[in-house]
């Protein structure tokens, strides 16, 4: 018969008892009822509890809470069938210490038939491998992230995977990857376990310049940003602790925050913070990849000089609009800057570019929020007015003509710029995009015939 640590071993078992008691690895033995009958000093250190707290209790008291209900079934299946899915194997297990900390250990299980009644006992040997385990898992996670980044997976999916894996490393936790916007607000890229209240709290945060500087210099101060905001609502706070780190790009600019919130009541080791720090390079790669793809997408759709939609994007939008019902008309205006080539020739192409940027700004200022503006190329611009008819388009063209009369200072000279404007209507002037654009361009060229042939200069500015 096996004996507990608290009982007095017989002479025949003293040697074996002492060997198991002094073993460097944790040793746990359970009887046919799955009750713990032996729990050595190394096991006490692993779980953070004494043998007296465990002896006589069901062994499921040592496993994570979410696994306890099924634990007896796993053992009894082996007893009844003899199918060894657990005996003779070695695997990593994670469990929680009595102080709320968590431990990873390599576990191997042996079994033996003991005593005259031929009862089956199980003995588990456990070697603590928390630090090595987490380093390996963090490295594996980083490799997975960079593998996904090399493919076509969306940044959202990769961020969700990273957060989910981080939560597995710290039981009873919720991970979140936050972006820092250009306005210094926080935007949630991933945080499926966050409540609406927590999300709302995070999105209300606006970082100051002092915050930005401090986070770039000391990343762990991110905790003060994402945690202390809940300090006044301690009774309502769903989390009991938090670890966080700022995320910077290669230039040292703040681009995000990675946070790990815990529901564990007791203060645990600093491993969660190490896990957060280990996830930061992966987080930075995810955010930077997202920004790069946005920039590439913008290059595909927007004109680099003016920031307006380019011809390809305008054409795509027009095709989409013409595929809608015919009762969704629109007006299209093509605008050309008069005598623009003269400005390039007399003042230089850099001054011509500056003029185009000014024209684009004035054009955007005159357009309503639902208008679509773009640059077709050179000095040609386009405006699409959804549900616009002939009267609406003419009224808008008149307002543009007035707005463009304000002098523009180019090369220390005030220039009065005029536009030639052509208008076409869908579906009245055609059903195909090419027809609609051609009609507007032809109307613009016709209007240009009546424009001045000399560049008007009002006055010269002295430097």
């Amino acid at each position: 018969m096996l004996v507990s640590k608290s009982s007095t071993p017989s002479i025949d078992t003293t040697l074996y008892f002492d060997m198991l008691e002094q073993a460097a690895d944790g040793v746990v033995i359970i009887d046919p009822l799955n009750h713990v009958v032996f729990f050595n000093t190394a096991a006490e250190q692993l779980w953070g509890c004494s043998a007296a707290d465990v002896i006589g209790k069901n062994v499921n008291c040592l496993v994570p809470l979410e696994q306890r209900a099924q634990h007896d079934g796993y053992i009894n299946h082996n007893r009844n069938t003899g199918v060894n899915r657990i005996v003779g194997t070695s695997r990593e297990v994670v469990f929680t210490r009595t102080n709320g900390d968590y431990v990873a250990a390599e576990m191997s299980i042996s079994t033996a038939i003991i005593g005259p009644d031929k009862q089956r006992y199980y003995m588990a040997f456990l070697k603590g491998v928390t630090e090595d385990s987490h380093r390996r898992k963090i490295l594996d996670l980083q490799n997975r992230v960079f593998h996904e980044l090399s493919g076509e997976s969306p940044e959202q999916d990769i961020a969700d995977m990273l957060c989910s894996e981080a939560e597995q490393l710290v039981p009873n936790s919720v991970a979140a990857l936050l972006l820092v916007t250009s306005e210094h607000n926080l935007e949630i890229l991933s945080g499926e376990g966050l409540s609406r209240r927590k999300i709302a709290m995070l999105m209300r945060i606006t970082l100051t310049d002092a915050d930005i500087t401090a986070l770039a210099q000391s990343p762990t101060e991110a905790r003060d940003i994402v945690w202390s905001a809940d300090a006044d609502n301690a009774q309502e706070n769903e989390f009991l602790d938090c670890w966080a780190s700022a995320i910077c790009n290669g230039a040292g600019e703040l681009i995000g925050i990675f946070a790990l919130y815990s529901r564990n009541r007791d203060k645990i080791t600093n491993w969660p913070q190490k896990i957060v720090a280990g996830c930061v390079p992966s987080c930075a790669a995810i955010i930077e990849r997202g920004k790069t793809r946005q920039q590439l997408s913008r290059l595909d759709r927007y004109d680099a000089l003016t920031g307006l939609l380019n011809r390809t994007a305008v054409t795509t939008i027009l095709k989409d609009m013409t595929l809608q019902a015919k009762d969704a008309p629109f007006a299209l205006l093509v605008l050309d800057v008069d005598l623009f080539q003269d400005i390039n020739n007399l003042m230089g192409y850099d001054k011509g570019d500056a003029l185009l940027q000014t024209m684009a700004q004035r054009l955007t200022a005159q357009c309503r929020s639902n208008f679509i503006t773009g640059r077709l190329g050179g000095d040609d611009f386009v405006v699409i007015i959804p549900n616009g008819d002939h009267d609406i388009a003419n009224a808008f063209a008149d307002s543009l003509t007035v707005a463009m009369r304000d002098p523009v200072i180019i090369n220390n000279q005030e220039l009065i710029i005029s536009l030639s404007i052509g208008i076409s209507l869908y579906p009245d002037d055609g059903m195909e995009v090419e027809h609609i654009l051609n009609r507007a361009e032809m109307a613009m060229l016709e209007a240009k015939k009546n424009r001045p042939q000399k560049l008007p200069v009002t006055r010269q500015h002295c430097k």
Side-chain angles (χ1 to χ4, degrees):
M1 178 179 179
L2 289 175
V3 293
S4 71
K5 179 180 175 180
S6 58
S7 63
T8 303
S10 66
I11 298 299
D12 294 336
T13 60
T14 299
L15 175 63
Y16 309 110
F17 176 90
D18 288 343
M19 290 178 64
L20 293 175
E21 172 56 33
Q22 297 177 41
D25 296 339
V27 180
V28 181
I29 301 176
I30 62 172
D31 66 12
L33 297 177
N34 297 339
H35 293 160
V36 178
V37 294
F38 184 85
F39 198 74
N40 73 345
T41 300
E44 291 179 326
Q45 294 171 350
L46 278 174
W47 270 274
C49 60
S50 68
D53 296 326
V54 176
I55 297 298
K57 293 183 179 179
N58 190 296
V59 69
N60 64 16
C61 70
L62 300 176
V63 304
L65 183 62
E66 62 272 15
Q67 299 176 13
R68 292 181 184 177
Q70 298 82 19
H71 195 259
D72 274 356
Y74 299 147
I75 302 174
N76 293 336
H77 178 75
N78 181 269
R79 290 184 192 277
N80 297 331
T81 65
V83 177
N84 288 330
R85 294 184 178 178
I86 56 175
V87 175
T89 63
S90 179
R91 58 196 176 106
E92 186 175 296
V93 294
V94 177
F95 53 88
T96 306
R97 290 166 55 87
T98 55
N99 67 351
D101 200 353
Y102 61 100
V103 175
E106 290 288 344
M107 180 180 71
S108 59
I109 298 177
S110 299
T111 184
I113 304 297
I114 298 176
D117 295 334
K118 304 297 182 182
Q119 297 291 314
R120 184 175 294 278
Y121 288 74
Y122 290 88
M123 179 164 57
F125 291 87
L126 298 103
K127 177 182 178 64
V129 293
T130 302
E131 294 200 12
D132 290 341
S133 171
H134 288 323
R135 287 193 186 97
R136 185 174 65 254
K137 288 182 177 179
I138 289 173
L139 182 59
D140 289 344
L141 177 56
Q142 290 174 346
N143 290 336
R144 285 185 60 191
V145 168
F146 285 106
H147 174 74
E148 293 296 326
L149 288 172
S150 66
E152 296 298 323
S153 298
E155 288 78 27
Q156 174 81 62
D157 292 350
I158 302 174
D160 288 344
M161 180 269 289
L162 181 143
C163 287
S164 176
E165 292 294 329
E167 291 169 358
Q168 296 301 314
L169 293 175
V170 183
N172 211 21
S173 68
V174 172
L177 177 52
L178 314 173
L179 306 179
V180 176
T181 69
S182 57
E183 293 79 22
H184 293 176
N185 295 320
L186 297 183
E187 181 179 307
I188 298 174
L189 178 60
S190 179
E192 294 183 337
L194 297 177
S195 66
R196 292 183 179 180
R197 189 192 71 82
K198 190 68 176 180
I199 291 173
M201 184 275 291
L202 291 170
M203 295 185 69
R204 286 196 299 267
I205 295 174
T206 300
L207 302 177
T208 66
D209 291 340
D211 291 331
I212 300 293
T213 301
L215 291 173
Q217 295 175 349
S218 181
T220 56
E221 290 194 20
R223 181 185 188 276
D224 294 337
I225 301 295
V226 299
W227 177 250
S228 59
D230 270 356
D232 295 335
N233 300 317
Q235 293 182 346
E236 300 178 9
N237 193 2
E238 65 212 89
F239 300 113
L240 300 173
D241 207 343
C242 173
W243 303 269
S245 176
I247 305 166
C248 295
N249 61 16
E253 300 166 332
L254 180 69
I255 58 175
I257 293 175
F258 183 65
L260 194 60
Y261 296 94
S262 172
R263 296 189 178 95
N264 293 311
R265 293 193 170 277
D266 298 308
K267 189 71 176 179
I268 62 180
T269 65
N270 64 345
W271 254 106
Q273 186 61 49
K274 292 182 180 179
I275 290 169
V276 168
C279 290
V280 164
S282 297
C283 293
I286 293 171
I287 296 173
E288 286 293 273
R289 194 250 217 163
K291 289 187 175 182
T292 299
R293 295 182 77 168
Q294 288 178 354
Q295 290 170 354
L296 292 174
S297 175
R298 184 171 183 83
L299 289 175
D300 288 341
R301 288 177 48 82
Y302 292 90
D303 174 55
L305 179 65
T306 63
L308 301 179
L309 292 168
N310 59 27
R311 187 182 190 101
T312 301
V314 169
T315 302
T316 300
I317 292 172
L318 285 172
K319 287 181 179 178
D320 290 340
M321 295 178 74
T322 56
L323 292 175
Q324 298 177 13
K326 291 188 177 66
D327 58 356
F330 60 83
L332 185 144
L333 289 76
V334 172
L335 306 85
D336 180 87
V337 180
D338 295 325
L339 303 176
F340 179 71
Q341 190 58 49
D342 290 346
I343 296 174
N344 276 338
N345 293 337
L346 294 174
M347 299 180 180
Y349 284 88
D350 58 333
K351 302 301 188 296
D353 287 347
L355 174 62
L356 292 178
Q357 290 173 331
T358 300
M359 294 297 99
Q361 292 168 1
R362 290 187 180 184
L363 178 61
T364 302
Q366 294 298 312
C367 290
R368 297 180 59 181
S369 60
N370 65 327
F371 288 14
I372 299 164
T373 58
R375 181 188 177 200
L376 296 178
D379 59 329
D380 289 344
F381 296 87
V382 64
V383 177
I384 304 170
I385 305 177
N387 298 313
D389 56 20
H390 186 273
D391 292 338
I392 292 174
N394 277 323
F396 180 68
D398 291 340
S399 69
L400 278 180
T401 301
V402 173
M404 294 301 173
R405 285 176 182 167
D406 290 338
V408 179
I409 299 176
I410 300 291
N411 202 25
N412 298 312
Q413 291 181 320
E414 283 189 359
L415 305 180
I416 302 296
I417 303 301
S418 63
L419 297 177
S420 295
I421 303 176
I423 300 173
S424 63
L425 303 175
Y426 172 82
D428 298 350
D429 291 325
M431 302 294 293
E432 301 293 331
V433 171
E434 291 77 9
H435 293 163
I436 303 166
L437 275 171
N438 287 339
R439 289 294 297 268
E441 289 174 344
M442 291 174 61
M444 178 270 292
L445 293 174
E446 188 66 27
K448 189 174 283 292
K449 293 179 180 179
N450 300 319
R451 292 302 181 185
Q453 302 302 308
K454 183 179 179 181
L455 189 66
V457 179
T458 59
R459 70 170 66 91
Q460 179 123 2
H461 278 248
C462 296
K463 292 184 179 180

